[in-house]
Amino acid sequence: MNIGSIATNIAGAITLAAYLNAKFHIAKDVHNLLSIKQGEREYARAVRNGRGNPWFIFTETVNKYPDMVCIWSREGTYTYRQVRDLACQYAHLFLSMGVKRGDLVGLYLQNCPEFLFAWLGLWSIGCAPAAINYHLADDALLHCLKISGTRLLLVDNDAECRERIEASRAILEGELGMELVLMDSVFCSSVSTYPATFPPMEYALNMESGFPAILIYTSGTTGKPKGCAFTMSRFYAGKHPRRHSTGDREGPDGDRWYCAMPMYHGTGGLSLMFALCSGVGIAIGRKFSVRNFWRDIRDSDSTYFVYVGEAARYLLAAPPSPDDRNHRVRCMYGNGLRPDVWDRFRDRFGVPEVMEFFNSTEGMFSLYNHNNGPFTTSSVGHHGALSRVLLRNVFVPVEVDPVTGDIIRDPRTGFATRSSYKKGGEMLVAIPNEAAFQGYWRDSEATAKKFVRDVFRTGDLYYRTGDALRRQDDGRWYFVDRLGDTFRWKSENVATAEVAEVIGCFPGIQEANVYGVKVPNHEGRAGCAALMLSPDAKGTFDFKALAEYTRAKLPKYAVPVFLRVIESPVHIGNHKQNKVPLREEGVDPEKVGTKVSEGMRDRFLWLPPWEEGYVEFNKADWSNLTGGGARL
C-alpha cells in the first residue's frame, strides 16, 4: 500500500471516528465517567490521610491564593487569607459556646459573607451548619430546628427574621433548649476578639464520610421539609466532576460566580462553596432583585451567575435597557429554566452558555446539560450512547396513578411495566440495598416511603424520585412533572409543566402556574392556570385569543378550564412555584384567600363549553356547578 493510500485510509478513519463521536457523544460520556472516577480517587486518597473534610481543600486553596479577593459583597470584600482568619475566629467562638465535634449549628441567615465564615469555621472543628430557610416561621420553623438537633442558632439581624424567631422564642429556648444568637453589630465585633489561629487539627481530621458538609432541606411543598445531609464525601468527591463540567477558571484572573439565590438552598449555597474551595471568586447578593441584579453583576465583574426557578423569567419581564448586554457573564448555572424563556433570555442578554442541571435535594438522581447551541436547548440533561447503555437498568421510567400516586402494576402479575424513555414516567433508581440512600435526617418514616420493592421482579429494590421525565432517542432529557402535580381530567393525565410551558409562550403572560382543581359533580380535576400578566398587558389582555391559542396548541383535555389572574407570584423561598395553596383554594369563592392571603382580589375566568373564549367566573357560576346545572 502506498503512502497516498495510507493517508487516505487514515483520513477516512478519522472522519468516521468524528462522525460516530458527534452522533453518539462517546467522548463526552468517557470524559464524564473519568471525571467522576478521579473525584472518587481524590476523596479516597484524602480519607487515607484523614483529610476527607472539605476544610482541608479550602486551606490548600488559601495557601495557593492568599491575597486573591475571593468574596465580593456590598458589605465588603475579602481575600482568601482574610476569609480563613475569620473562619478560625468563628471556630474559636463556637468552641467557647460549647459546640462540640459532630454538632450541627443552625444558620437562620440571609445571604451574607458571614454565612460562609461560619460554615467554614464549623468544618474546621468537625461540625457543620443546618441551613434553615429564613422565611420559615411557627410550626415549619420549629420542625426544621427540632430534627436538626442543633442547640445553637445564629439569627439574621433583619427585622422580619427577628420577628419570626421572636414569635417562637419561648418554645425554642424552652422545649428545644436552644441558644439564640442575634448576628448584629455587637456579635460581629465580638467575633474579632477571638484568635485567628487554627483550632486543634484533631477536630477536623478523620471525619465520617456520611457526616454532613451541610444539612439542607426539601422545599416542603408536599408536607413538612425534610432534612438531607449533603455529606462531606459527596462534597469532596464532587469537587472535581463539578470543575470539569462548569469549566470555570480559578485564580486572580479567573471567573467569578454571582449568586443572589438563597444560600440555605443547595443550588445557591453549594455553588458558592464549591467555587470558593476551588480558587474561583464569588459575589454575594443579599436577596434576588430584578432592579439590582445586573448592577451587582457589573460591579462585581462576575462572569457566571446562579439561577433557580423563575428568576430568569423575572429578569426577562423587565423593560429592555441599553445595559442589557453590558456585562461579562459568559455562563448561567442552575435549575428550573423554563423552555419558553431559554432562548429569549440568552438572545436578549447575550449569555452564550446555559448550565442547566436536574437534581433532587436527596442527590439520588441527577442530570446535567452544558448548553451552548440549539441541540440541547431546553433539556435538563443529555446522555450519550455509552451512558444510555450503562444506565438503562439504573434509571427506569414507570407509569404512576396521578390520583393515588402509586406505581401502576399489572393486576395479574403484580409487577410494574416500564415505560419507554420517549414516553417517560416517574424515574425509579435501582439500588442494591437501603443503605444506598442515606435517608432523611432523623426521619426514618419519611425515608421508608422513598423505597419501593418487587417492581419488575421479586426482591428488587428501587428509589422513587417523585419526578416524571422523558428522554429522546438521541439522549436529551426533558422534565415532565412532579409527582402530585400531574392530575387526571376527562380520563386523561395532564402534566402541569407541559401546559405551563405552552401558555408561557403567549404574549402578555409573564408567568403561568398550572394545577388541577376539584369541581362539584365532576370526576378528576379541572385544569386551572394562575396567570401573572406583564405590566403592559394589563387591561388589554385578549382572553379569547388565549383560548384559541391553547385549543390549537394543547389536547382538548389539557386546555385549562379556569384562569386565576394574580398580582404577585405564589412561590416558595427559592423562587420555585408553589401550587399547593392555589390547589387547596381551587375556584370555590368561599375558599379564595384562605391559603393565599394576597389572593382575595384575584380575578377568575372560565371556559365553559358554550363559550368561544374565557369569560368571568363568579359565585353564581360556582353555585350552578354545585347544583349540577352546568357540565364541563
Side-chain angles (χ1 to χ4, degrees), residues 194 202 212 215 228 267 292 333 342 365 380 397 440-441 498 529 542 574:
Y194 287 87
E202 58 265 26
L215 184 70
C228 298
T267 303
N292 295 328
Y333 172 91
W342 194 299
F365 174 69
V380 298
Y440 295 116
W441 194 256
E498 293 183 337
D542 191 339
N574 59 4

Side-chain angles (χ1 to χ4, degrees), residues 294-315:
W294 292 112
R295 186 178 67 175
D296 280 357
I297 290 281
R298 287 188 287 272
D299 290 352
S300 64
D301 202 26
S302 293
T303 55
Y304 282 60
F305 72 77
V306 179
Y307 65 88
V308 176
E310 298 297 310
R313 188 187 300 277
Y314 301 148
L315 293 169

Side-chain angles (χ1 to χ4, degrees), residues 364-365 393-396 427-431 461-465:
M364 293 293 291
F365 174 69
N393 293 316
V394 178
F395 299 155
V396 184
M427 298 306 301
L428 304 184
V429 181
I431 53 178
L461 179 64
Y462 285 83
Y463 169 90
R464 295 194 67 174
T465 66

Side-chain angles (χ1 to χ4, degrees), residues 338 479-482 485 495-502 514 579:
R338 293 298 186 98
F479 177 69
V480 176
D481 224 5
R482 179 71 180 157
D485 290 349
T496 63
E498 293 183 337
V499 177
E501 178 185 338
V502 170
V514 179
K579 304 177 190 295

Side-chain angles (χ1 to χ4, degrees), residues 245-259:
S245 61
T246 59
D248 50 8
R249 300 182 300 266
E250 65 180 82
D253 299 320
D255 287 298
R256 175 170 286 162
W257 286 64
Y258 172 76
C259 180

